[in-house]
Amino acid sequence: RGLSQFNRRVLIRDFFAQLADSNDAGPAPDIRLRTANPLWHPLKAYIGDAPYVPTPAVQEFLDEFGREMMQTLGHLKDLKIRDNLTRDERIAINTLLGRSDMVFLEADKARGLVSKNTADYRTEGRAELQLTYREIPPAEFNSESADELESAVMLHVRQKFIAVLNKHGDLINSWKGTALHWKYKYLTAAADLHPQTRKKYRPPYARFSPKLEKPGNRMIVASHQWIGQPFALLIAIEMQPQIAEIPSFLKDADEMIRQIEELRLPRDVIFITQDVEKLYPNIDLDDCMIKQAEFQAERWTDEHDPEAMQADELTRDLTEVILRNQYVSFDGAIWLDRTGF
């Protein structure tokens, strides 16, 4: 049953991809920028007028995955997987799960679990937020409850994004029926619902992972439900090729290790590392937007192309709305970032 459900999910994703590609003059450059079709229904599996047929690569993947899964299940039939918990230990775990005065957190960098008193966790979280955020009083948005405040904040930010899209409406509409039709669909859909999941937006929830090697916590914000996420994703993907050409750019830690291993240095050379305390929260937003504009002007935009210049302005306007409206939810309150991100 699990294998059947997995196959269905893969086929649905493949169907969406074919549907999007068939309706657009040009496909999105990245699968994360595809827009879900709200008219699609799983009982009407057609691509245009033709029945849906899985692409050969997808079908080959599913067949191979199915063979490996069945082979693995055959080996597991004779195994009895048991844990070593006693009855008393199971009762203790269930008792802990029912307690509201304690929270269990994953430690920073996945170094284990940490338990904390709930009141202490809230106090520490608020103290961390107050360094770079400010708590939004309901009266600021003429709200009387937390739910009303959340709705008012969402409407406030959504109107800002809509204002930017309306400002550049001529440019965005000019992409219809062209190779950038996917971008037109993505931007217009993102103003209302998440363009891929079709779910409503809501302020992201902030949580704090305790650091074990030093005092403090690392704030983690799950922004996949926030209205700024799809716009930020679009900008990041479009700028990535130019960013990768910067000499100091490192894709990840593995890339850094590879470059170090390729160095040929004298024996008396030592490496010195530096770390910045709370790097992202301390980035100045004004300076960040100035640097982005300079980067676009130097590496990204063709100043002799009027449409490219207008698209450049659209990117800057979207970036400003994203950075100036970083709201999070914590401890029943809404907070707005004052600096950094």
Side-chain angles (χ1 to χ4, degrees):
R1 185 166 58 249
L3 179 59
S4 175
Q5 292 173 350
F6 174 81
N7 287 2
R8 183 174 183 276
R9 292 191 188 101
V10 174
L11 292 173
I12 286 176
R13 289 176 66 88
D14 181 55
F15 174 82
F16 269 118
Q18 293 190 42
L19 184 66
D21 292 348
S22 67
N23 291 341
D24 291 351
D30 189 289
I31 191 172
R32 293 169 292 174
L33 298 179
R34 285 175 173 158
T35 306
N37 189 327
L39 302 179
W40 178 81
H41 190 279
L43 299 181
K44 300 176 181 178
Y46 281 79
I47 305 296
D49 297 327
Y52 160 69
V53 177
T55 56
V58 167
Q59 190 61 59
E60 182 182 357
F61 165 74
L62 290 177
D63 292 342
E64 179 64 23
F65 178 83
R67 286 192 293 269
E68 292 181 0
M69 177 66 74
M70 297 309 297
Q71 184 179 7
T72 302
L73 289 175
H75 293 317
L76 291 176
K77 283 183 178 180
D78 298 329
L79 296 178
K80 293 183 178 180
I81 301 176
R82 299 178 182 272
D83 56 49
N84 58 356
L85 296 176
T86 65
R87 179 176 178 276
D88 290 341
E89 288 170 338
R90 291 181 184 277
I91 293 174
I93 290 175
N94 289 329
T95 301
L96 289 173
L97 291 174
R99 292 182 58 171
S100 59
D101 61 331
M102 295 181 66
V103 292
F104 295 88
L105 311 162
E106 185 178 7
D108 185 36
K109 299 179 180 176
R111 296 185 176 180
L113 291 177
V114 176
S115 63
K116 279 191 175 185
N117 179 279
T118 302
D120 292 340
Y121 175 70
R122 288 174 172 170
T123 300
E124 292 177 10
R126 283 181 165 271
E128 195 78 30
L129 283 167
Q130 288 168 357
L131 296 175
T132 54
Y133 284 74
R134 70 178 181 89
E135 185 175 352
I136 304 297
E140 186 171 326
F141 285 87
N142 297 318
S143 304
E144 296 182 358
S145 66
D147 291 339
E148 287 185 8
L149 176 60
E150 180 178 311
S151 299
V153 167
M154 288 305 311
L155 177 62
H156 172 71
V157 180
R158 180 172 175 268
Q159 288 174 339
K160 289 191 174 185
F161 278 110
I162 291 176
V164 171
L165 298 180
N166 289 339
K167 175 183 175 182
H168 300 277
D170 291 342
L171 172 67
I172 296 172
N173 289 329
S174 71
W175 294 333
K176 294 173 65 175
T178 72
L180 292 177
H181 187 78
W182 65 267
K183 193 172 182 180
Y184 160 79
K185 289 203 314 180
Y186 185 87
L187 287 173
T188 52
D192 296 317
L193 301 169
H194 194 288
Q196 283 201 319
T197 65
R198 305 293 299 172
K199 291 183 178 180
K200 293 182 178 180
Y201 296 114
R202 59 176 301 173
Y205 185 76
R207 61 185 177 90
F208 298 88
S209 293
K211 296 180 179 180
L212 301 184
E213 76 281 3
K214 56 185 176 182
N217 302 281
R218 184 183 303 277
M219 185 172 77
I220 300 173
V221 179
S223 60
H224 58 283
Q225 290 183 309
W226 179 236
I227 188 171
Q229 189 271 340
F231 296 101
L233 178 64
L234 171 64
I235 295 171
I237 290 176
E238 289 195 324
M239 296 184 71
Q240 181 64 26
Q242 285 71 34
I243 292 175
E245 294 178 359
I246 299 176
S248 59
F249 173 78
L250 290 173
K251 181 180 179 180
D252 49 32
D254 291 338
E255 172 68 12
M256 181 183 67
I257 294 173
R258 184 187 65 78
Q259 291 190 19
I260 291 175
E261 289 177 341
E262 291 178 354
L263 293 176
R264 296 296 179 263
L265 300 173
R267 287 183 172 273
D268 57 349
V269 170
I270 62 172
F271 282 102
I272 299 177
T273 63
Q274 292 180 316
D275 192 13
V276 179
E277 183 176 357
K278 298 186 182 300
L279 171 62
Y280 291 106
N282 286 308
I283 293 177
D284 183 88
L285 296 182
D286 292 328
D287 185 56
C288 178
M289 287 185 284
I290 291 173
K291 294 298 183 184
Q292 179 184 335
E294 292 175 351
F295 174 83
Q296 291 178 221
E298 294 173 1
R299 294 176 175 267
W300 195 23
T301 308
D302 182 359
E303 60 181 7
H304 302 294
D305 184 345
E307 183 174 326
M309 293 294 290
Q310 190 176 357
D312 181 74
E313 184 181 356
L314 169 61
T315 299
R316 291 199 304 271
D317 289 345
L318 288 174
T319 299
E320 182 163 5
V321 176
I322 293 167
L323 294 181
R324 299 292 188 194
N325 296 274
Q326 299 179 85
Y327 290 88
V328 299
S329 172
F330 180 77
D331 194 24
I334 302 294
W335 305 72
L336 175 60
D337 194 13
R338 293 182 284 108
T339 182
F341 48 86

